[in-house]
Each structure stands twice: as C-alpha cells, then as structure tokens.
Amino acid sequence: MTTFPIAPELSTRKPVLISVGTRPEIIKMAPVYSELRRRGIPVVWVHTGQHREMAESLYAFFDIEPEHEVVLERRNGSLAHLNALLLEGLSDIFEKVRPGAVLVHGDTTSTLGSAQAAFYLDIPIGHVEAGLRTFNAREPFPEEKNRELTARLARWHFAPTAGAAANLGAEGLSGDGVHMVGNTAVDAAVAGTARLAELLDNGTLALPEPLQRLRPHLGRCRLITVTAHRRENWGPGIRNIARAVARLLAQHDDLAVVWPVHGNPAVSEVVHAELGALAGTLGGRLCLCPPLDYPALLWCLQHSLLAMTDSGGIQEEGAALSCPVLVLRSTTERPELVEAGAGMILGTDEDHIVATVGRMLSGGEALDRMRSAVNPFGDGRTARRIADVLARDLGA
C-alpha cells in the first residue's frame, strides 16, 4: 500500500482546499465545506469550471463563495485538452494557496486533474466517494479510470459504503487510509429538502416556470423524473429511452414525465427530435425543460413515483428521498442501491423499459418495497466523519 505521510508543519494555518467543478461535485462537497467551517477549520473552495453555467445558483443555495476559479478557455471538446487546462490552472492555484490538504470528489476530469496537481506539489489528497467501481473501463467512460487513478494518488479514501471500502482493499488500499463514512449526497439531500421547504414557504424561492406549469397535473397524474446524459448512452441509448417515454405516456393517460434535458447536443438534439412535437399534444403531461437547479430537482424527486436515470448522483438522492430509481445503464458503480432493493438496473432497451415500467404502473408491491427500502448510502452524518478524520490527522 502506498501512503503519503503528513508533513509535520501542517497546522490549522494551512487551509483544507476543496477542488470541484461539476454540478454533482458541488452538491456533494457542500456538506463537507459547511462542517469544516462550523468547526473553525480554515477551508478554501476552488471552482474548476467544468459546469460553470450551473454553478452560480448552487453556490447561492449552499451559501458558498469560491475563492478561486479556473477559467477554462477550451478550443475543442477532447478530454486530453480539458485535462491539460485543468492541470495547469489548478497547479498555479495550489502553489499560491499551499493548502494542508486537497479534497476531491468522485470521478470527473476535475477530480483527476486536481489529484494530479496536488500530488505533483506533494500536498496530501482526500478522495471523497472513493472506491466505486463497475469493473468495466468503458462504462462509465472516462469516470471508471478517473476514480481508479485518483485512488492511487490519495492519502485519505472516504468510502461511502462497505462495498466501496472492500473494492479499495482488493486493490491494495487498506489500513488507516480507508474510512467508511457514508455518502455526502445523503447529507446534502436531507439539508437541501429542509432548506427548500423553508424557502418555498416564505416565498423567497419559486420553482422554475416549467415545473409551475406541471404542478396542476400532479393532482391526477403520477410523476416520473427522467434524466440521461452518459457518454455511453449517446446515440441509440438516448433514442431508445425517449421512444420508451413516448410509449409509456401514450399507454398511461394518468402519467406525467419531467425530463430536464442535458445541454450537450448529443443528448438534446435526439431527445427533442423524438419528443419535442409530442410535448405540445399531451396537455402538459410531458415537461422537457433545461437542466434544473438542485432545489428544483429535489422537488421533482420528492413528488415522483419513480426516477429513471443514468446519473450516479440521482441514484443516491433517490434513495435518500425514498424515490425508487431505475438505472438506465447496463452496470452501476453503486450496486448497493440494487442490493438494498431501492432500485434496479433497467438498461436502455426500449421494449424492456416499457414493459418493466408498465408493470410497476399497473400496481403490485414492487414499488412499495422499493420505496420502503433502507437507504444504503448513509445516515446524513458523513461530513462529520470526514471532518473528524481531517481534524485528527492535520492537528486541526
């Protein structure tokens, strides 16, 4: 096992630096940021810019003001180009800040770039949501290898489940570097729903206009939330999902669907080609809208009979909010969802989607069992456990 000793000069004078840039990372690291601040541990937030257009509302919701940002001047869409920009920009920031530790999350290009930059500067790395594996290098791509490579660089491995910790152990990463802490997505969902209710009640937050139009239908319709964006689903996968949604809406006149459509043309053009014309003929039962901010998505999951998604984060958020999740992929790095009975792997075959969801909509106990399953991803105290480890090891 490779370990990176903590330098003796580390102290509370050196901040913990959180380096994230995508929407799910911001959501899942917000509880850690809040907990570190609550304890008086200096913390610096770096926004890596991957989801720049989605970040502002999230930062406002979670009361976070990033001290630094990498401005990504991308000339093409290649992963190599993105990684190079991140590595160079983050290295400059880390050299200026000289933190006592860098925290990264999950499996994005920002995750790997941040870990590389910290490693080159001999700064210890904490990997939150460590140990997830599908054991398929191309599904999800490039996330599976991103998290494997980040694991080789990290000093602290904050695993969300016993299964994730076991994966790390099988790779030779065990001992005092691996900590089974739960998933911060649960912390965020629990705190987020409470804050959402407060803001809606006092009138300081309104749901986006597409959801306002959908609300009147929920008295007589059952709602399904759909999201799909994974690279491996581009093309036939997204098309099959869209066609399955069209058939389900035709077969069940008490069904409503909200689909926040990812902005990537590989997704949006296919979804709108298949469903755009239909949306205007269903009396508001199909809502194709731009990507929703986090509180709006929480509202959708709270009010949904089930969710269909290829997202990793929604698998966790659905479980936290007792919303059954049907995974639109052939594998999941979160098998605990299925093992706990809170979800199932559905894939992207059109006929299989229609048949499976149709059976669930027609009654029976399957949905009730999934809704009452015990959440396998934690108890909402993950951030406290992470902060405990960092405070102990950094002398904070």
Side-chain angles (χ1 to χ4, degrees), residues 10 13-20 29 32-33 36 41-48 66-70 89-105 110 113-115 117-118 121 123-128 156 390 394:
L10 288 178
R13 290 190 301 273
K14 289 193 171 185
V16 174
L17 186 151
I18 295 174
S19 184
V20 298
M29 290 303 284
V32 179
Y33 176 82
L36 292 174
I41 298 174
V43 57
V44 171
W45 189 289
V46 176
H47 179 64
T48 67
E67 288 83 356
H68 302 275
E69 179 178 359
V70 178
L90 289 165
S91 295
D92 289 344
I93 293 171
F94 294 0
E95 283 194 280
K96 291 175 185 175
V97 177
R98 282 289 170 178
V102 167
L103 296 185
V104 301
H105 182 278
S110 287
S114 299
L121 295 170
I123 302 168
I125 301 151
H127 186 195
V128 179
W156 299 280
L390 294 174
L394 297 176

Side-chain angles (χ1 to χ4, degrees), residues 258-272:
V258 56
W259 187 334
V261 183
H262 197 279
N264 190 307
V267 177
S268 60
E269 290 179 3
V270 175
V271 173
H272 285 286

Side-chain angles (χ1 to χ4, degrees), residues 7 58 266 332 336:
L58 278 175
T332 179
E336 296 86 357

Side-chain angles (χ1 to χ4, degrees), residues 250-286:
Q251 293 172 9
H252 303 273
D253 59 9
D254 65 342
L255 180 66
V257 170
V258 56
W259 187 334
V261 183
H262 197 279
N264 190 307
V267 177
S268 60
E269 290 179 3
V270 175
V271 173
H272 285 286
E274 294 292 335
L275 294 174
L278 184 64
T281 68
L282 292 173
R285 290 195 294 123
L286 173 60

Side-chain angles (χ1 to χ4, degrees), residues 56-57 72-73 99-100 116 183 190 246 274 308 321 349 383:
E56 187 173 343
S57 63
L72 296 174
E73 297 179 352
Q116 286 177 289
N183 199 301
V190 170
E274 294 292 335
M308 301 198 305
L321 300 177
D349 179 81

